[in-house]
Amino acid sequence: MKSIPYGRQHITQADIDAVVEVLRADYLTQGPKIAEFEQAFANYIGSRYAVAVANGTAALHLCTLALGVQPGNKVITTPITFAASANCVRYAGGDVVFADIEPETYLLDIKKVEELLNNAPEGTYKGIIPVDFAGRSVDLEAFRKLADKYNCWIIEDACHAPGGYFIDSNEKKQFCGNSQFADLAIFSFHPVKHIAAGEGGMITTNDEKLYQKLLTLRTHGILKDVELFQNSPQVAYGNNHEAENTNTATYPGWYYEMQELGFNYRLTDFQAALGNEQLKRADEGLKRRREIAQTYDEAFKGKSFIKGQSGVVDGHAYHLYVIEVNNRKELYEHLRANNIFVQIHYVPVHLMPYYRQFGWKNGDLPAAERYYNRCISLPMYPTLTDEEQQYVIQKINECYE
């Protein structure tokens, strides 16, 4: 049996042809493929706007800047996520506060979040970053009501969940990242994600002001659109040109303004071309992920060694399929010895050495820590064959016989 990883990209000839076409064209970056991918992604997710960026971490960072996170601002997130979900707050100088997870869903526990908000002076917390962990959607309608009560913004980390959804109070599907309830949402195009572009990320929003802010911040804070220039003294066109006021000036073609401190967080055109081709078959991949989840669910139903699992959940996008077991290390090593390269998602962020310096310690978030001690992510990707999945199931059962 060949090696079976926990996740794997799927590159087709159409993907390769799309990238080669861009490599032979005029633009490798800042070209037409960016806008094409952004529009297609916004349509797929159901948001008004989409902004393509260098990666998911860049997306999170730009979101905190666009929302005005300042030193001393407190933001709540989950410990069961990749570190970037928390780090983005630190990049902007803010303070991260972790709330525990729901043991059944592995998602940020809204009751624990409300306890933090309710027990703090008004205005202590500025925002909440819930994560659609493993592909299971957070109930953002409930989080929106809570956030509005305490005057907080929401960034939805939907990196695991393009195509995922939850059912709102009106029995309507609310797709992850559609920004009906979150101020901003972010996605990643890392190779093991649903849509692979090598690297890359996307921010979605329905707020035009935030959208314009993000466009500026991703490109060094520089503007070239005359209509967006500030009414401030203009930089001289040449050595002998007197400064003019921007509301009366006529601008030459080369003129631009850096209006704030931004970053080079752009996506390339060939990455956008790859992402766009992958997006065209996203629903096909999502269907296959759900079939794989159904097989795992049936295989482990009633097994005494299973202490928890992702299960079959309406709207789940299944970036990961997680089971919880005792003797996790033994299973991990047994599977790897049999060329099944499972993974652990994640070491709780609050227990990382960096965050321990702020006072976080073992025992602070018991549900998250219990989950971490038992969790293991099984192979989950659209090209996983039935034969390979049955081999994975066989080897798991074998470990507990």
Side-chain angles (χ1 to χ4, degrees):
M1 177 66 67
K2 65 181 181 180
S3 295
I4 304 174
Y6 87 89
R8 172 181 279 155
Q9 71 269 24
H10 179 210
I11 302 299
T12 67
Q13 188 60 49
D15 293 333
I16 295 168
D17 292 343
V19 172
V20 171
E21 181 182 356
V22 171
L23 293 176
R24 289 175 172 163
D26 293 334
Y27 293 94
L28 293 186
T29 190
Q30 296 181 273
K33 288 297 179 181
I34 304 299
E36 181 182 328
F37 185 32
E38 289 172 334
Q39 186 60 61
F41 194 84
N43 292 343
Y44 178 72
I45 295 299
S47 63
R48 288 184 64 192
Y49 305 107
V51 179
V53 294
N55 50 60
T57 301
L60 284 162
H61 186 197
L62 292 182
C63 286
T64 60
L65 296 178
L67 290 166
V69 175
Q70 300 291 326
N73 289 172
K74 293 185 182 297
V75 177
I76 301 169
T77 193
T78 171
I80 300 301
T81 184
F82 185 61
S85 306
N87 293 350
C88 62
V89 178
R90 297 294 302 148
Y91 297 157
D95 296 324
V96 181
V97 178
F98 297 99
D100 215 344
I101 64 168
E102 295 177 342
E104 299 80 16
T105 66
Y106 311 148
L107 302 177
L108 183 64
D109 189 335
I110 193 169
K111 294 178 181 177
K112 299 298 184 182
V113 174
E114 186 165 18
E115 285 178 15
L116 287 171
L117 294 170
N118 191 48
N119 292 329
E122 185 177 352
T124 298
Y125 292 97
K126 301 300 181 183
I128 307 168
I129 305 178
V131 176
D132 299 317
F133 176 69
R136 184 167 186 160
S137 177
V138 172
D139 182 349
L140 282 174
E141 184 178 25
F143 270 96
R144 180 77 267 168
K145 291 177 182 177
L146 181 64
D148 287 345
K149 180 179 177 181
Y150 291 93
N151 195 29
C152 291
W153 46 254
I154 295 175
I155 300 171
E156 178 189 6
D157 185 335
C159 286
H160 290 186
Y165 62 84
F166 73 95
I167 306 298
D168 70 12
S169 59
N170 294 316
E171 299 186 356
K172 181 180 178 181
K173 292 181 181 179
Q174 293 293 345
F175 286 88
C176 298
N178 70 5
S179 297
Q180 293 299 309
F181 301 106
D183 297 271
L184 296 161
I186 68 103
F187 296 86
S188 167
F189 306 130
H190 183 275
V192 297
K193 298 298 198 302
H194 292 64
I195 298 164
E199 286 286 356
M202 193 75 78
I203 306 168
T204 55
T205 186
N206 291 337
D207 187 312
E208 185 176 3
K209 288 184 178 179
L210 286 175
Y211 170 65
Q212 294 295 342
K213 182 82 167 176
L214 292 165
L215 292 178
T216 304
L217 287 170
R218 79 168 172 187
T219 312
H220 297 285
I222 289 174
L223 290 176
K224 295 184 178 180
D225 187 339
V226 172
E227 295 181 0
L228 298 177
F229 289 167
Q230 297 173 345
N231 291 325
S232 57
Q234 184 183 344
V235 175
Y237 298 153
N239 291 336
N240 299 319
H241 197 289
E242 295 181 1
E244 299 181 61
N245 191 286
T246 57
N247 61 1
T248 60
T250 300
Y251 296 91
W254 68 78
Y255 187 72
Y256 61 89
E257 287 187 359
M258 177 182 162
Q259 296 191 342
E260 57 188 309
L261 186 63
F263 299 84
N264 180 358
Y265 280 166
R266 297 187 298 257
L267 190 70
T268 65
D269 270 54
F270 51 88
Q271 286 175 297
L274 176 55
N276 211 23
E277 284 300 316
Q278 294 256 315
L279 182 61
K280 291 176 183 178
R281 61 177 190 276
D283 285 342
E284 177 186 333
L286 190 59
K287 179 182 177 182
R288 177 58 183 156
R289 287 174 183 272
R290 288 171 174 160
E291 290 173 352
I292 292 168
Q294 182 76 46
T295 300
Y296 278 140
D297 186 63
E298 292 173 357
F300 298 129
K301 192 170 294 181
K303 296 286 187 179
S304 61
F305 61 83
I306 297 292
K307 306 305 176 184
Q309 65 188 114
S310 291
V312 174
V313 179
D314 191 20
H316 204 304
Y318 294 105
H319 166 56
L320 305 172
Y321 191 97
V322 179
I323 60 173
E324 293 179 75
V325 295
N326 293 331
N327 304 318
R328 190 262 310 275
K329 188 171 184 291
E330 179 183 343
L331 177 60
Y332 177 87
E333 292 176 347
H334 172 73
L335 293 176
R336 289 200 158 221
N338 285 279
N339 288 328
I340 301 169
F341 292 90
V342 290
Q343 190 54 275
I344 306 302
H345 296 94
Y346 293 94
V347 178
V349 184
H350 73 290
L351 297 182
M352 295 290 183
Y354 176 81
Y355 285 100
R356 285 181 182 269
Q357 70 177 309
F358 302 112
W360 294 98
K361 60 187 183 302
N362 292 75
D364 283 343
L365 303 172
E369 293 165 34
R370 183 169 56 253
Y371 161 82
Y372 166 63
N373 288 329
R374 304 192 305 196
C375 70
I376 190 165
S377 299
L378 305 184
M380 170 58 79
Y381 48 92
T383 56
L384 182 72
T385 67
D386 291 344
E387 179 186 12
E388 289 169 334
Q389 187 178 16
Q390 288 304 319
Y391 177 74
V392 172
I393 293 167
Q394 174 193 335
K395 292 302 175 182
I396 292 172
N397 287 330
E398 183 181 282
C399 185
Y400 290 96
E401 288 176 350

